[in-house]
Structure formats: C-alpha cells, structure tokens
Amino acid sequence: MSNQRLAEELVGWGCVHRRMLMQVVLCSLATFALWTWAGASGLEAQPLASGSHRAVQFVFVIDDSKSMRETDPERLSVFAARSILDMLDERDEATVVRLDGPAQDEAPLPVAPVGDQRLRLQESLDLGDQLAGYGAGYTRCRTALAAVKDMLNVAYRSDVAQVVFFLTDGACTPDTDEVPSVTGFLSGLRSHDAGLFRFYFLRFQGMEFTSALAQLAERTGGQSIEVGTRDPTGVLRGFAEAMSASQGYESALLTPQDNDLPGHQGARRVRLLAVARGEGEPLDIEVRDRYRRPMEGFKEARAGSHQFPGGEVFRYIAFDYRPNGDPVYVDVLNAGGQWKVVALPEYLLAASVQVFEGECDGERRPVRYRVDRGRPVCVEVRLVDEKGQIVSADVSGSDLEAHLLFKEEGKQEWKELAGNPAAGGEARYFVQRSRLESGGYSLQPQITLRADTEQEVTFTGVTRGLEIASLEMEVSPAVLDFGSLLPGQTQHHAVELDGVFPESRLRLVLPEESQLGDCLEFRLQGDENEGVDVAVGQQVVVEARLDTFCGPKAFQRTIDTPLYFDPVVLAEGGGETYPGVTVTARLKLDYDPGQASGPVLHLKAGQSEVFELELGGNAEGEVSYLVEVQAPQDSAAWPADAGHLTLGFARGDQLLRRDGASVRQQQVVAQDVNGNAQPLRLFARADHCCGGGSYRTQVAVADPAGLRDPLLIPVTLEVSGGSFWSCWGRRILFALLALLLALLCFYIYRMWSHSSWLDRRRLATQLKPLVWSSYGGTSVNHRSQEEVEAWVRRNLRFRDRALAWIRANPFRIGWFGGSYEETLELTLAAKRDVESSSLQLISERAFQMELYLRPDSYRGRLFASAAGTIAFLGVPDARGHFSRLVVEGQEYVMTPGEVPAKVTRLNRKNLVQPKDLRDLGGDGGPAGWRLGA
C-alpha cells in the first residue's frame, strides 16, 4: 500500500463524526501523514533534531473542560494517552497535564522517565479520575502553557527534543485572561532557542479556536490541524508520528486489508499497538515473516480494554518484536477482522557532526568554537549507534546518503550539501568548505537510510554552531581611576567587554613588578580564584583593596599600575587562549598604621597590672593584627630568672594561658566593622622575688599572615624590688609545713603498717561446731558453717573494730617498737544455736604480752589474736576448763587438784563439754568446737 493510499484510508476511516474528539485527532494526523508522506500540502517537512537515542520528551496537555463531555463522550483521548504509555519503555520520558490543573494550583507530574512514575501517570489517566471527569469550567490555555514552560525548562537537556500535544475542542476561555502570547511563551524556552521544540495543536473543523495556538504550532514547525473521527488509533497514530519524527523515521498504520510491514533493517525493535471495537475475548497478535514463521517478542504482550461507563468498548494489545530485515505480516486475533495497528520502529541510531579546521584529505584539527577567517573547514557527518560508536556503512543492508544543512546567521534558508563517503567502510561522510566569510553559521547533519524502494528513514542530528572570526577582546575604559584608597578599603570600577570572542573565563593578573606587592590587591567581583565567566557585551566590576597592614611605615603616594585581563575559552571543552587586554589602574594611597608611644608601667614586687595599648591608624572597617609579645633581646634587659617578670595578653584581670603556658602571640581585632577602636590589653606581673630595676621589651604588630615587617612598640616596666622575707619567707614557711606533713604521713603509715587485723572469713572457717558421734567421739558439723560466718560478721563490725583500735591508743603504735594485734575474747557454748556463743573485742595494744605476764588474771578465758596468723590462746581455770569447755582427750587424765595458770595455744584442738555437764541425749548432739584449721 503506498503512502498516498494509506493517508486516504486514514481520512476516509476517520472523518465521519464531528461530535467526537477523535475527529480532531485522527483526521489531523491523517492530514499530517499526507503532508509528510505524499507532499499533498506542498510544505517542506521539518523533522526535529535528534542528538541522542532517547531524544524526545513528551508532554500531553488534555482538555478537561465541560464541553469535552459532548465532543469526547467515550474518553478516547484519555484512552489514547494511556495506551501510548503502555508502548513506552521505562527510560522514555513523558508526563500528562490536565489543562485546568495549573489554574487550580495542581502541580503536574514532572517530565521524567516513565519507569519512575508509570503508576502515577496511569492513576492520573484513570477513568474515575478528575481528568476523565471533564468538569472544568474554562479552557485556561495561558495558565496551562506557563506551567508547561516551567516543566520543560527544568527537564531541558542540550541533546533532547521536546514535543507538546495540545488537545482541545474549542477556544481558550476566558479570552480576556487566557489567550496565550506566542512570543511570551517561546521567549526563554530553552529547547526552542536550541531548535529542539515542536508544538502540535489539534482542534475541531469548523469550530471557533484561539489563533495564538495555531501561530504557536506554525512558529515551532509543528502543525495545527482540524479533523474528526471516532477511531482511537487516530490519536495513537498522532503520538507515534511525533515520536518517530523526533528520531527521523516514520510510523505506519496497518489494517486487515493492508497488513504487511517493511523489514526495518537495522532497527532495534518495532512497537505495535492494535485496537478493535466491541466486547469480546482479549485480543491476541501474530507477527510472521515472509516464510510465515512467528517473530520473537521483545517482551511480553500487554492487553487490555477501555470503556467509559455507559460507552463503547475498545480492546487493545501492545506487542514489540525484533526485526530481522525481512518484511512481516501482522494479524490480530479475536477482533472479527475489524482492527487497526499503529507500528512504530525504533532504530537507536543518530546522526552526529564534528568540525575540523583544515582539509578533509589532509592535516586537520578539531574545532572547539571558531575558525580563523580564511582557513578551510572540514565537516564530518557520522551515523552512530546507542553507544556513540560509528556504525558500518552497510548497517541497513542497503544505501546510506548523507547531507549537511548549512545556514548563515540571520538568514532563514538552509543550503543542502551532499557528503562524500570516507574510506574504510564506516558510515562517515565529509563536506569541505573554504573561504567562509566572518560570522556565525549553523550546521545540521542528516543521514538517509534506504532499505528498499518502500522504506526510507532519515536521521537528523543536533544543530551545531560555528563562528568564523579572529578572537579579540576590547576593554573600556583603558584607564581605571579608583580615586583615594585607605587601608582596609575596597573601591570598585565597572568595565565593559566588547570584541569577538566566545564564552570565556576571565582572570585578572597584576604584574609581578607591582609597586606594593601583595599589599594592594586587584580582583574581579565574584572571582573565587578560578576566574569569572564572561561574554561579549557583558559588564564586569574590578575591585581594588589596600590591606589594613602594609608595614611599619606610613606613606602617601599616587600609583599607576598595569592590569592584564587574561581570557581562556570555555566553549567545547575549553583550554584555548587568545590575547588579553592590558589597562592602567590609577590610585591615590594614604596609609598610616598608627604609632603607639612606648608605655612605661610601674610595678611593685608581688603586684600585677593590666594596661591598654591603642594602635591608632587610619584603616577602615574591621582591622585584625597578629600581635606578639617578644622576648628580650639581651639578658641585661630582663631579670636573670625570666619567670620573676611576666608580660603577656590579658583575659579580664588574669594572664591568658594555653596548655599551661602564657600566650605570647595571638590575632587581635583592633577595630570592629563599625570602625570602633578595640584597645590591646596586656598583662604584667612581678613576683615577690623580682629584683628592682627598669626592664625593657617590645610588642610586634604585623599582618595576620606574618608576611611583612612588623611595627615594633617598645614597652618599659619599672619594678620596685621586695625584701628578703617577702621573697624567701613564704618559701621557708612552705618548706616547714611540707616537712611536718611528710612526718605526719610517715607516722600514720607506721601506725597502719604495725597493726595486725583478724580476717573475718578466715576466723569463721577456723571456728567449727562439733557434734557427738555414735562411738563417743566427735565430728565437725559442716552444716552449721554458714551460720558461723554470719555470726562472725554480725559481731565483728567495722565500727566496733575501729573503736577498739582507737581505744588501744594507736598513736603509741607509731613509735618504734609499738604494735597492735587485734584480739577477741571467745565465749563458746556447746549448743546448737551459734548465737549462744559470743565474742568481744579487747582494746589492748599488745594483749598477748599482757596475757603471758599475768595469766592468773585470765583464768578460764579463751582468746583469738591476729599475730601473723590467727592464734587461739587460753588460760585453764582450776578444773582445766576454757570457757566452760575442756580439751577433748584430756578430760580423762586430769588429776584432782588445782590446775596451774598457764597460757595454752589451742590451735587444731577440740574443746568439748566436760562429762559432768554433758548431755547424753544421743548421737548428733552438740559437743563443742574445733579451733584452727
């Protein structure tokens, strides 16, 4: 089927019902097909430039006014937009704008990859959503286009085209506020300035419309078409036409009568969307090659249906396949022979251009921005794949033809120049131009791919600019008179830039032989050590500033110094330099650092003072200095022991210290931003041992970087010396106190080290209750051991032990030969209840000696003493009892009569109840105690 026949089929199938919105869309696109394929309109096609493989951003503006309820009762515009989203890849970029949404402060979804917001886009196109409700009272075109313009500028990229479809059934209302301004909309639209914008206006035939929308389509190379149809494939075909035109190739419409599709050799895939009217089973699609073999699907087919409540049913299915170069045949199943298919090939190829200076068949170098007048220019047109690599010339299995569209700045007509193929089998073509006049030129590459007589695809690249001129920059005025300049002051002077140069980065250079070195600084306003971006006709501001400190000497002088404007080209990678311009800077400098007279401070030994030092000077604004209290240059100018006399910075009324030492250097604010002087506060102190005399040093004041000679201010300290006792008296007193403290500490140490203490836990383990065994002997009752430990802890508390130690007069312990041995008197009872026994602390220093000297005084008593280890000692009474108990085994050999008083060690002894007091109640009864381990 020829292009002419296909276009006529579209018009005949679609232009029937004027009441439906699809009349506008399909007939518009049918006319567009006639215009682009058959040339029926006589107009020249202007495809969008495409520099990348994802080269179009789509914005669908859909009218939601109340009048749309009559013109589009089936909501086919919503169906078409939703269907086209199903055809798009995750990385395709699109958004949908409800025409009345911006007027209601509704923020539309941004232009972004469909994969990032597919769900939200589908929700906005839901038949129950606000857009499909068609409830807006007005058609607010200006407000909607203002929001669209902002979205497009945010999403703009230099190699991506932008397409707007504006679907409406009437004029913009209210006409007093909402008629858009064509110039206002296009002004500042970045894609329009780059030649990457198209506007398509779809309207009803015979109905009133706003002419500004038609003018907007005409100004951008789009179309304003009035048609009508009930067929949703009309809208789909229109969207497909826009996408394919942006890439430089064409879509197709298939029917049961004309279902063959060219092979599209070199295409990455072909997208198909089939639509059929009426209810029925879900649609299925078959794609077979000329041998009737099924084609492999690029991804799983997506089927669905569209029906607005109470309206007609439209079923659809989307399918992608990989072409192999052979023609294919398409059939749609379950459609009853009444279907249409929109086909969209995707090549992922692009035309690109590179410009060289020199001959194409000789030596040449790449051009960043411009070519010197008179030099030859070689333009290379390339066909590249999705990775930017040049493809082979036989990528299509057929012919390639390259052209270069060439236009001078200020002219409307393009010249078409044929390209000559390069050797090597790559899709590269050269166009040679010589003796070009000075001025700007636009270059746009085109490569046409012809697979057969029925298939022709044209790839159009991004327009490239070229400047033919010699670079030069002019600066005016030539003499920059800054007037008078004080320390800390900045003066400004505006400079106009003219000449012929591209966007550049400008730096200001002060010759090394400058009269004031780095004390006088010149810079461009806004320069952050990398220069300032400038263009022809721009104004820049030069700043001159004199540092607050330029040395110790005051001066007044008038200087003329050269300034060099050094430019570097930024366009197309940057790095190219061209001659700069030198101007003269004229200034009158008035510099006075101030000179404080050398202060004389009178001090007495042991006295400290804080004094203030005002520097003066004529600096403006905030003034900071690096101030250093210098050490004396000779020992005669300072006390022999420098610590006797201290000079440093003051904090309040104290010496400023850091890390344990006085601060001798710091940055000081001598004047705040309002010009108020802040005196320098210094701290001087003479200790009690400082000898009387006149001592001299100096304070150095310099710039914070410390790069220039400092201003030296002499300081004299007159000190009245103190007496011998004012210097040494305190030291002697401190030495005596230290000696007494050392003796006291030594004495306390001896008191503690000559004291022996009982270990409560160990004592408890060496006091073991005994019980009678069946054979008349004794054994240890281990089950009572925890009770013994608790009994010892309760009766041997820290407070009681400390009081006993104090009563024993520990001060006598500290003398040589003295000691303290903690001693307990034990009263042990042969009873099951451990609490029937008791222990009592003895407040005696050396109790064991007392016990051995006077044993008669302690008859019948039992003791435990801390003498290295725990010693159990006792003196038997007249019957040989120790605390009413006797030593086991000795009770049978005791002789009648009085037992002599003698201290007995009872470690590892068993004390048991005597026979006359023994309870013969049976085995396991309490027998007494075992002493020691």
Side-chain angles (χ1 to χ4, degrees):
M1 186 179 206
S2 67
N3 290 341
Q4 179 73 32
R5 282 183 56 208
L6 181 58
E8 292 172 353
E9 167 68 16
L10 282 171
V11 176
W13 195 51
C15 304
V16 180
H17 301 281
R18 294 178 52 128
R19 291 178 56 82
M20 311 305 293
L21 176 63
M22 296 307 101
Q23 289 177 313
V24 180
V25 179
L26 188 56
C27 289
S28 300
L29 294 169
T31 307
F32 180 55
L34 286 171
W35 169 67
T36 54
W37 301 346
S41 64
L43 298 175
E44 180 183 359
Q46 298 181 5
L48 284 174
S50 172
S52 74
H53 313 294
R54 318 310 310 169
V56 183
Q57 295 171 341
F58 299 99
V59 178
F60 305 117
V61 184
I62 300 178
D63 190 354
D64 63 328
S65 61
K66 294 179 181 178
S67 61
M68 289 284 287
R69 295 178 181 177
E70 298 181 2
T71 55
D72 183 21
E74 307 290 350
R75 275 49 173 181
L76 295 182
S77 58
V78 178
F79 165 59
R82 189 178 181 95
S83 300
I84 206 70
L85 287 176
D86 283 339
M87 293 183 68
L88 298 181
D89 264 349
E90 302 300 292
R91 57 182 177 173
D92 290 316
E93 299 182 34
T95 189
V96 177
V97 178
R98 184 170 65 88
L99 195 147
D100 197 50
Q104 299 178 15
D105 295 327
E106 176 184 303
L109 293 175
V111 178
V114 173
D116 295 343
Q117 57 182 7
R118 183 183 295 276
L119 181 60
R120 291 188 293 171
L121 287 171
Q122 291 175 343
E123 289 176 350
S124 69
L125 294 169
D126 189 90
L127 292 180
D129 199 64
Q130 192 171 5
L131 190 153
Y134 295 159
Y138 294 97
T139 306
R140 300 183 183 276
C141 303
R142 177 190 287 270
T143 303
L145 287 176
V148 169
K149 178 178 178 179
D150 292 339
M151 294 168 56
L152 294 176
N153 280 337
V154 170
Y156 172 76
R157 297 197 300 274
S158 60
D159 57 353
V160 177
Q162 295 179 332
V163 177
V164 172
F165 276 85
F166 199 96
L167 302 176
T168 180
D169 67 339
C172 302
T173 58
D175 55 6
T176 55
D177 301 320
E178 291 296 337
V179 175
S181 167
V182 177
T183 302
F185 176 76
L186 295 178
S187 177
L189 182 59
R190 301 171 68 185
S191 57
H192 173 71
D193 296 339
L196 296 173
F197 178 71
R198 294 292 183 271
F199 184 86
Y200 292 91
F201 172 44
L202 305 178
R203 61 183 177 84
F204 272 101
Q205 185 177 22
M207 296 184 67
E208 293 185 1
F209 66 93
T210 299
S211 61
L213 296 175
Q215 295 172 16
L216 184 58
E218 182 180 356
R219 284 275 299 273
T220 61
Q223 283 291 294
S224 174
I225 310 169
E226 47 180 22
V227 287
T229 184
R230 289 178 60 89
D231 183 7
T233 54
V235 186
L236 298 172
R237 182 64 192 280
F239 293 159
E241 283 295 336
M243 287 189 288
S244 59
S246 69
Q247 296 284 353
Y249 48 79
E250 296 174 343
S251 62
L253 180 68
L254 306 180
T255 65
Q257 294 75 33
D258 188 4
N259 65 341
D260 59 313
L261 192 64
H264 290 291
Q265 178 74 26
R268 176 173 176 261
R269 65 174 169 180
V270 176
R271 301 172 176 179
L272 303 176
L273 182 65
V275 180
R277 283 193 181 92
E279 298 181 358
E281 296 182 9
L283 298 182
D284 197 3
I285 192 167
E286 285 186 350
V287 180
R288 298 182 178 275
D289 62 15
R290 58 181 168 181
Y291 303 107
R292 299 300 177 179
R293 294 174 302 191
M295 300 295 293
E296 179 183 359
F298 191 83
K299 56 185 177 181
E300 185 178 355
R302 298 186 298 273
S305 63
H306 169 84
Q307 182 184 24
F308 190 73
E312 189 175 359
V313 176
F314 295 89
R315 290 168 293 154
Y316 65 90
I317 184 170
F319 178 78
D320 299 354
Y321 73 91
R322 292 183 172 89
N324 57 12
D326 292 334
V328 299
Y329 301 92
V330 179
D331 190 16
V332 180
L333 308 180
N334 303 326
Q338 299 295 321
W339 53 264
K340 292 188 180 181
V341 174
V342 175
L344 176 64
E346 181 184 273
Y347 279 84
L348 292 184
L349 299 176
S352 68
V353 65
Q354 188 167 359
V355 182
F356 298 89
E357 181 179 335
E359 301 290 341
C360 291
D361 56 355
E363 183 178 354
R364 60 185 186 271
R365 67 178 183 88
V367 175
R368 292 192 178 94
Y369 173 75
R370 55 95 203 178
V371 176
D372 286 332
R373 181 181 177 185
R375 292 286 297 163
V377 176
C378 175
V379 181
E380 181 179 312
V381 180
R382 305 170 172 180
L383 184 62
V384 297
D385 60 17
E386 55 186 318
K387 297 181 180 179
Q389 299 177 349
I390 302 176
V391 301
S392 62
D394 61 350
V395 66
S396 67
S398 181
D399 293 336
L400 291 179
E401 183 178 295
H403 292 87
L404 179 69
L405 300 182
F406 190 83
K407 185 178 72 171
E408 296 183 37
E409 186 177 26
K411 295 184 179 181
Q412 297 295 324
E413 61 181 272
W414 290 82
K415 296 180 181 179
E416 185 176 295
L417 307 175
N420 298 316
E426 292 183 323
R428 296 191 302 141
Y429 302 85
F430 292 112
V431 177
Q432 183 75 56
R433 299 290 291 172
S434 301
R435 297 185 297 277
L436 292 173
E437 296 295 329
S438 297
Y441 296 85
S442 297
L443 311 177
Q444 187 178 63
Q446 284 188 349
I447 293 183
T448 301
L449 179 153
R450 291 190 179 90
D452 51 48
T453 57
E454 293 294 331
Q455 182 180 355
E456 180 176 302
V457 179
T458 299
F459 299 94
T460 303
V462 176
T463 301
R464 162 79 184 269
L466 176 65
E467 185 76 19
I468 304 296
S470 297
L471 295 181
E472 58 181 356
M473 177 180 287
E474 298 176 1
V475 177
S476 61
V479 178
L480 309 182
D481 192 346
F482 290 93
S484 298
L485 197 60
L486 298 175
Q489 189 179 48
T490 300
Q491 298 285 19
H492 301 80
H493 202 295
V495 172
E496 298 286 343
L497 302 179
D498 204 351
V500 178
F501 60 89
E503 182 181 354
S504 303
R505 180 157 291 163
L506 192 63
R507 295 185 303 115
L508 194 61
V509 180
L510 183 66
E512 294 182 358
E513 60 272 14
S514 171
Q515 301 178 38
L516 291 178
D518 58 356
C519 187
L520 179 61
E521 179 187 15
F522 293 92
R523 57 174 289 174
L524 295 175
Q525 194 173 49
D527 186 1
E528 298 296 337
N529 300 322
E530 295 182 357
V532 176
D533 296 344
V534 296
V536 175
Q538 184 174 333
Q539 184 183 82
V540 296
V541 176
V542 181
E543 299 177 343
R545 185 181 187 277
L546 185 63
D547 275 4
T548 56
F549 188 86
C550 293
K553 297 181 180 179
F555 59 81
Q556 290 182 338
R557 70 181 70 160
T558 299
I559 65 170
D560 289 335
T561 185
L563 297 180
Y564 180 66
F565 290 85
D566 183 21
V568 177
V569 175
L570 294 179
E572 299 187 18
E576 181 182 0
T577 61
Y578 57 93
V581 181
T582 300
V583 299
T584 299
R586 180 169 298 160
L587 309 97
K588 296 178 181 179
L589 305 181
D590 183 5
Y591 172 73
D592 182 7
Q595 184 70 46
S597 58
V600 178
L601 186 63
H602 297 275
L603 292 173
K604 293 182 179 180
Q607 183 184 15
S608 61
E609 291 287 343
V610 175
F611 62 96
E612 296 180 347
L613 188 63
E614 293 188 3
L615 301 177
N618 64 341
E620 287 194 351
E622 182 174 326
V623 180
S624 295
Y625 294 121
L626 182 67
V627 181
E628 179 182 359
V629 178
Q630 296 189 333
Q633 305 247 332
D634 57 80
S635 58
W638 209 253
D641 188 344
H644 292 328
L645 185 59
T646 303
L647 180 63
F649 295 95
R651 174 182 290 168
D653 293 330
Q654 300 294 325
L655 179 65
L656 180 59
R657 293 182 177 274
R658 189 180 301 120
D659 298 332
S662 60
V663 176
R664 303 190 64 84
Q665 185 184 78
Q666 73 169 357
Q667 188 168 331
V668 176
V669 177
Q671 184 171 288
D672 61 22
V673 293
N674 298 319
N676 301 318
Q678 304 291 321
L680 174 63
R681 303 180 76 250
L682 297 179
F683 180 89
R685 180 180 61 197
D687 68 11
H688 292 278
C689 294
C690 183
S694 179
Y695 302 103
R696 298 177 302 279
T697 185
Q698 55 192 11
V699 174
V701 179
D703 63 291
L707 301 177
R708 305 181 184 94
D709 293 337
L711 171 65
L712 300 177
I713 303 174
V715 177
T716 302
L717 300 174
E718 298 286 350
V719 180
S720 301
S723 63
F724 172 82
W725 284 109
S726 65
C727 175
W728 293 100
R730 293 187 178 185
R731 297 188 183 185
I732 294 173
L733 181 59
F734 287 154
L736 291 176
L737 291 176
L739 178 60
L740 290 176
L741 181 60
L743 290 175
L744 178 60
C745 292
F746 177 72
Y747 190 73
I748 293 173
Y749 166 74
R750 282 190 58 83
M751 289 167 56
W752 183 258
S753 63
H754 284 68
S755 297
S756 299
W757 306 91
L758 290 168
D759 186 321
R760 293 193 303 178
R761 185 176 183 82
R762 189 174 179 186
L763 176 63
T765 59
Q766 295 189 19
L767 290 173
K768 302 173 181 176
L770 300 176
V771 294
W772 294 111
S773 61
S774 58
Y775 52 83
T778 60
S779 62
V780 176
N781 184 8
H782 294 287
R783 291 180 296 178
S784 300
Q785 195 61 45
E786 292 184 1
E787 297 179 16
V788 174
E789 290 184 9
W791 172 64
V792 171
R793 284 197 300 271
R794 284 194 300 271
N795 290 276
L796 195 57
R797 297 177 299 176
F798 173 79
R799 177 176 174 275
D800 298 332
R801 299 171 75 181
L803 289 175
W805 184 63
I806 293 173
R807 293 191 188 101
N809 194 0
F811 297 104
R812 295 185 60 188
I813 300 173
W815 298 109
F816 292 96
S819 63
Y820 173 76
E821 298 168 355
E822 187 176 34
T823 304
L824 296 173
E825 181 177 356
L826 301 172
T827 303
L828 303 177
K831 294 184 179 181
R832 292 185 183 276
D833 186 5
V834 177
E835 296 293 337
S836 300
S837 302
S838 64
L839 54 84
Q840 181 69 38
L841 285 162
I842 305 297
S843 300
E844 295 287 343
R845 282 191 308 106
F847 181 74
Q848 284 195 47
M849 183 181 296
E850 173 71 14
L851 185 62
Y852 277 100
L853 290 177
R854 296 190 298 126
D856 281 325
S857 301
Y858 300 98
R859 278 182 174 274
R861 298 168 70 178
L862 181 62
F863 304 95
S865 178
T869 60
I870 299 176
F872 292 96
L873 304 172
V875 179
D877 60 10
R879 295 186 301 165
H881 291 187
F882 299 90
S883 183
R884 294 180 294 178
L885 301 176
V886 295
V887 177
E888 184 179 8
Q890 292 184 8
E891 57 178 325
Y892 304 107
V893 297
M894 290 177 56
T895 58
E898 186 174 331
V899 177
K902 180 182 178 181
V903 178
T904 304
R905 277 188 172 267
L906 296 174
N907 287 55
R908 299 185 181 179
K909 300 292 185 181
N910 291 350
L911 296 182
V912 298
Q913 205 171 19
K915 282 185 177 183
D916 55 349
L917 299 177
R918 184 174 303 171
D919 183 4
L920 301 178
D923 298 340
W929 297 77
R930 175 176 292 178
L931 306 180

